Amino acid sequence: MSDYGSAGQSPSVTAGQSPHVTRSRSPAIGGGEELPAPQVRHETAEVPHVDGQEMEVSVVEKSKDHLKLKLSHVEASFANALRRVMISEVAMLAVDTVEVHLNDSVIHDEMLVHRVAMLPIQTFVTINNERVNLADRLVYPRDCNCGGYCEKCSVKFKIHVRCQEDQTRRTVTSFDMVNVHNGTDLINAHCQPVHHPHSKDTYPIVLVELAKGQTVEMLVLARKGIGKEHSKWNPTCTVAMQYVPEVTLNERAFADLAQSDKKRWVRFCPRKVYRFDPERNKVEVNPDNVNSCFFCDECTTGAALQQEPYSQFKGKRQLVAVRRKKDNNGRFEVFFTIETNGCMEPAEVLSEAWRVFYDKIVDSVTCLDAKLTKAGRTDEIINSKPRADGHSGSRQRSSSGGRSTSLGSSSAAGVSPAYSGASGSVVSAMTSNLASTVMDEDIPWN
């Protein structure tokens, strides 16, 4: 049996490494005591920023595998930290071990293992109209004392396909990867490969083509992990953060340009952020495309602007100013785009990232309070706790279509609110806004 759980030992193509494949006969996953049912928590706390200004969240686009948000009044460092947590620290399931028992196809064992390892595995499954996180029910392989694999740390699949004599060829797809879990925890039996990673796909993922008489038989184990260990445990395809632009035109400077020069200047922008109004003989910001600006500086310091008549417009006479939009407190507005590989929905990735991020802040504040207590500076601990009037109460909220989420409030994280601190207040406020916006039942999936 070949195990790819250790760092640098993975069948994933992204790792750029060749896996070691052994041919062996493997016993079935052993039994074990039943794992406790996951505790689904819906409570979120509404806590404002320490300066009284809450982060605002609005949904721009939303589908089964794509989510675009607009975050207002947010620190750039905070938004980037959330992005990195989604990429590297959200637990999910991925193919970790492959045993090739028989392979008569034209593809070598190593290449076939690579292709199987790239199959996304469902981490959130729907059971009785509730979304259940299978990663929460499994332990990390390093924390399991089974010595191999068991139902506490693994989900077992099998691929056994033969191209019969009356067939010209047989296509092996993700449909042929069957869950053969036979343990006591029946929840794991609901885990399946993601057959359609994107909502527009209508055909399953192809693994290999078999000719007449050829056979493929493999044992596949999926285990829990995070992207920090290996990229195959990254639930996202893209997590992008884009600042909202603030474009200001210098109308006095444009008045000194001829109409033909204005039209030519408008064409400098590759995203068509600007447009020319011939009736008013003015250059305007195109409201439909302004948010597509990616700060390329072609309209401010591009090579074309070094020529006449544009080279004279410098300093205070610059034709346009493009800045990152800020509020009065210096916080930004950003677009957040999340795309997943199908193992979970984007809102669920965001939900899990919030929980991990909140726990990190709680741990940091708890450690800081312990150090302050040891140093005898308990007055600073009191000052770091959220004010009594900082809480605006809590509410129960169920998510759309039976979706369950734990968005990291103090009670949801299992940590006393006293240790949430000033930073914890900020996170709780943002958590509350995301709970009420991203998972809102009034916003249907496309």
Side-chain angles (χ1 to χ4, degrees):
M1 185 178 69
S2 56
D3 190 350
Y4 306 105
S6 58
Q9 298 291 329
S10 169
S12 174
V13 173
T14 55
Q17 300 170 350
S18 298
H20 175 66
V21 183
T22 61
R23 298 178 178 269
S24 63
R25 183 174 301 275
S26 173
I29 293 180
E33 59 180 350
E34 184 175 358
L35 297 178
Q39 297 181 357
V40 179
R41 298 178 290 263
H42 301 281
E43 182 179 351
T44 59
E46 290 186 341
V47 185
H49 276 290
V50 289
D51 59 2
Q53 189 174 28
E54 289 188 0
M55 183 186 74
E56 298 177 3
V57 182
S58 58
V59 177
V60 180
E61 299 173 4
K62 191 174 184 181
S63 66
K64 189 175 181 179
D65 57 357
H66 176 86
L67 177 63
K68 186 174 182 179
L69 306 172
K70 182 179 180 182
L71 279 62
S72 304
H73 314 300
V74 63
E75 296 284 353
S77 58
F78 179 89
N80 187 53
L82 177 62
R83 180 188 68 86
R84 297 186 62 173
V85 169
M86 280 189 278
I87 293 174
S88 62
E89 300 199 44
V90 173
M92 60 166 288
L93 302 182
V95 173
D96 191 46
T97 301
V98 178
E99 293 180 10
V100 179
H101 296 171
L102 180 61
N103 177 22
D104 293 336
S105 69
V106 296
I107 298 182
H108 293 291
D109 293 353
E110 290 79 7
M111 182 59 67
L112 186 57
V113 169
H114 275 284
R115 295 185 64 84
V116 173
M118 294 182 68
L119 287 176
I121 305 297
Q122 291 181 359
T123 301
F124 274 77
V125 296
T126 302
I127 302 176
N128 298 328
N129 294 326
E130 286 287 337
R131 295 288 284 175
V132 178
N133 187 356
L134 296 180
D136 283 348
R137 303 182 62 86
L138 297 177
V139 299
Y140 290 101
R142 59 180 177 271
D143 298 330
C144 189
N145 57 3
C146 63
Y149 53 85
C150 67
E151 66 171 350
K152 294 183 179 180
C153 66
S154 307
V155 179
K156 185 171 73 169
F157 300 89
K158 190 173 183 179
I159 300 176
H160 190 185
V161 180
R162 176 177 173 81
C163 183
Q164 303 298 330
E165 297 299 330
D166 58 344
Q167 294 177 305
T168 304
R169 65 175 185 175
R170 172 68 158 83
T171 302
V172 182
T173 69
S174 56
F175 285 149
D176 297 307
M177 184 169 161
V178 182
N179 189 321
V180 291
H181 176 77
N182 58 359
T184 58
D185 188 357
L186 300 180
I187 299 296
N188 290 348
H190 291 78
C191 183
Q192 299 293 333
V194 178
H195 306 299
H196 310 291
H198 302 287
S199 55
K200 296 181 180 180
D201 293 342
T202 58
Y203 196 78
I205 302 174
V206 176
L207 298 177
V208 64
E209 293 276 355
L210 299 180
K212 183 181 299 185
Q214 292 181 344
T215 305
V216 167
E217 183 179 359
M218 291 182 291
L219 176 69
V220 181
L221 297 178
R223 291 194 174 106
K224 176 181 178 180
I226 60 176
K228 185 182 291 186
E229 301 175 20
H230 196 280
S231 59
K232 65 184 177 183
W233 281 298
N234 177 8
T236 64
C237 298
T238 298
V239 181
M241 187 181 73
Q242 178 186 355
Y243 291 98
V244 175
E246 185 178 40
V247 182
T248 305
L249 297 174
N250 188 345
E251 296 185 0
R252 290 187 177 182
F254 274 107
D256 297 336
L257 286 177
Q259 186 180 72
S260 59
D261 295 329
K262 294 178 182 178
K263 292 181 179 179
R264 188 157 67 100
W265 183 90
V266 167
R267 293 194 293 269
F268 291 160
C269 179
R271 293 299 182 92
K272 300 181 180 180
V273 174
Y274 310 102
R275 65 185 179 187
F276 179 74
D277 187 352
E279 296 181 358
R280 302 171 59 192
N281 192 26
K282 290 183 63 176
V283 175
E284 300 175 342
V285 177
N286 188 349
D288 297 331
N289 296 336
V290 63
N291 289 328
S292 63
C293 173
F294 62 111
F295 304 95
C296 65
D297 290 335
E298 284 294 326
C299 61
T300 56
T301 59
L305 298 179
Q306 308 306 320
Q307 306 172 6
E308 292 294 339
Y310 308 108
S311 59
Q312 59 180 310
F313 298 100
K314 297 179 180 179
K316 294 183 179 180
R317 298 195 67 219
Q318 188 170 334
L319 293 174
V320 64
V322 182
R323 307 180 183 87
R324 293 179 293 181
K325 192 172 182 180
K326 295 182 179 181
D327 60 13
N328 296 331
N329 295 321
R331 296 194 179 98
F332 296 95
E333 292 187 12
V334 298
F335 286 111
F336 230 84
T337 303
I338 307 171
E339 295 182 8
T340 66
N341 59 10
C343 63
M344 59 181 79
E345 296 172 353
E348 292 166 342
V349 175
L350 187 61
S351 168
E352 293 299 305
W354 275 116
R355 185 171 66 170
V356 173
F357 192 29
Y358 185 87
D359 289 344
K360 283 180 172 292
I361 291 182
V362 169
D363 292 342
S364 298
V365 174
T366 303
C367 181
L368 177 62
D369 288 354
K371 290 183 177 294
L372 292 176
T373 301
K374 187 176 181 180
R377 298 159 59 183
T378 55
D379 55 330
E380 298 183 33
I381 298 177
I382 298 175
N383 294 333
S384 70
K385 294 178 183 178
R387 299 185 300 271
D389 58 352
H391 296 270
S392 55
S394 61
R395 64 183 176 192
Q396 297 287 336
R397 184 176 186 84
S398 253
S399 53
S400 170
R403 276 185 212 93
S404 64
T405 180
S406 172
L407 289 178
S409 64
S410 296
S411 57
V415 180
S416 171
Y419 287 98
S420 58
S423 300
S425 301
V426 176
V427 178
S428 296
M430 298 179 179
T431 295
S432 177
N433 280 297
L434 283 170
S436 60
T437 304
V438 180
M439 308 296 286
D440 199 313
E441 56 257 58
D442 297 331
I443 306 174
W445 295 100
N446 292 339

